[in-house]
Amino acid sequence: MLYEIYTRIAVGAVLETDATHELVRGFHVSLGLEPDASLAEVHARLLEQALKHKRNVDPRVRYELEFERYVDERWDIDCAIGGVSDGGVDGTRGYVFVGIRIEQWEDVMHDHSPHLSGRPKTLAKGDLSAGSDFLKHIGPDHKKEIDHAGRMRRRARKEIDLDAMKRVRSLPTREREVYWALIRWLVPKPA
């Protein structure tokens, strides 16, 4: 299947499932919808509220930007949506990663193992270095982003980790420690 794949490198932790469901319900209520509103209703409301010059933005992009704004206003933290969904946060097949975003990129490609995106991939110390197997797996198209994340990790890791830990500490997460992770959000591409 052809997917739009949104990849993020971030430092932080995954929200607990119950907290993710509560966060999504709160997001729906902030839009003036019922807590259990469908994704189609959310996309329709976001289109209604969009400025005239932003009406032809992809609904998935609009959803992500508004959801990130909502999370940032609520907790003063970055977030990344992960897993497989139809263009929104799906707490059963996906997750929300909170912390500090380091780098991001987008692709449209076939993914033969979408189930592997159900959890973030922890990045080991050497994964962001030149010549690593991880870099070879990602491919040369995103070398610039990986190099930037590698420089951030080498030069400011302590500061980034401390800031992420301070921001995540009071949130309902599964982990007590923050970590560097690769988050992938797969959205099926319409035919």
Side-chain angles (χ1 to χ4, degrees):
M1 176 176 263
L2 193 61
Y3 289 99
E4 295 174 359
I5 303 174
Y6 306 95
T7 308
R8 311 286 185 255
I9 294 176
V11 181
V14 174
L15 277 181
E16 292 178 359
T17 305
D18 292 341
T20 300
H21 289 298
E22 185 270 322
L23 185 66
V24 170
R25 286 191 295 271
F27 176 58
H28 292 175
V29 169
S30 77
L31 296 173
L33 297 169
E34 292 296 317
D36 296 329
S38 70
L39 185 59
E41 292 172 320
V42 174
H43 282 272
R45 178 58 54 94
L46 290 172
L47 180 61
E48 288 172 13
Q49 294 177 349
L51 298 173
K52 196 172 191 177
H53 67 281
K54 297 201 177 200
R55 291 195 180 257
N56 38 345
V57 171
D58 184 47
R60 194 254 359 132
V61 173
R62 196 176 303 114
Y63 183 98
E64 181 183 24
L65 292 173
E66 286 302 311
F67 184 75
E68 288 174 351
R69 183 191 55 73
Y70 173 75
V71 172
D72 189 40
E73 285 176 359
R74 184 170 176 180
W75 290 328
D76 187 30
I77 199 164
D78 291 337
C79 73
I81 302 169
V84 180
S85 76
D86 294 327
V89 176
D90 183 348
T92 55
R93 296 190 309 164
Y95 57 93
V96 174
F97 191 90
V98 290
I100 298 173
R101 184 177 300 177
I102 303 296
E103 195 57 74
Q104 64 186 30
W105 63 88
E106 301 174 4
D107 293 305
V108 175
M109 62 183 6
H110 288 280
D111 192 314
H112 302 291
S113 303
H115 62 281
L116 295 178
S117 297
R119 298 269 51 100
K121 178 192 179 335
T122 303
L123 296 175
K125 185 176 181 181
D127 285 343
L128 298 175
S129 62
S132 70
D133 290 337
F134 174 73
L135 182 59
K136 291 175 188 170
H137 175 72
I138 294 295
D141 295 342
H142 305 295
K143 184 179 183 322
K144 180 180 175 184
E145 291 88 352
I146 299 295
D147 287 347
H148 176 258
R151 280 193 307 279
M152 296 282 289
R153 188 168 184 157
R154 283 190 308 275
R155 295 180 181 166
R157 180 176 185 169
K158 284 184 182 176
E159 292 85 359
I160 292 169
D161 287 354
L162 286 172
D163 188 26
M165 193 174 305
K166 183 174 70 173
R167 292 173 189 251
V168 170
R169 182 181 303 139
S170 63
L171 300 181
T173 62
R174 296 176 182 191
E175 297 88 8
R176 292 293 111 205
E177 296 292 323
V178 297
Y179 57 97
W180 288 66
L182 180 78
I183 299 103
R184 296 177 71 228
W185 182 23
L186 279 67
V187 179
K189 181 120 175 105

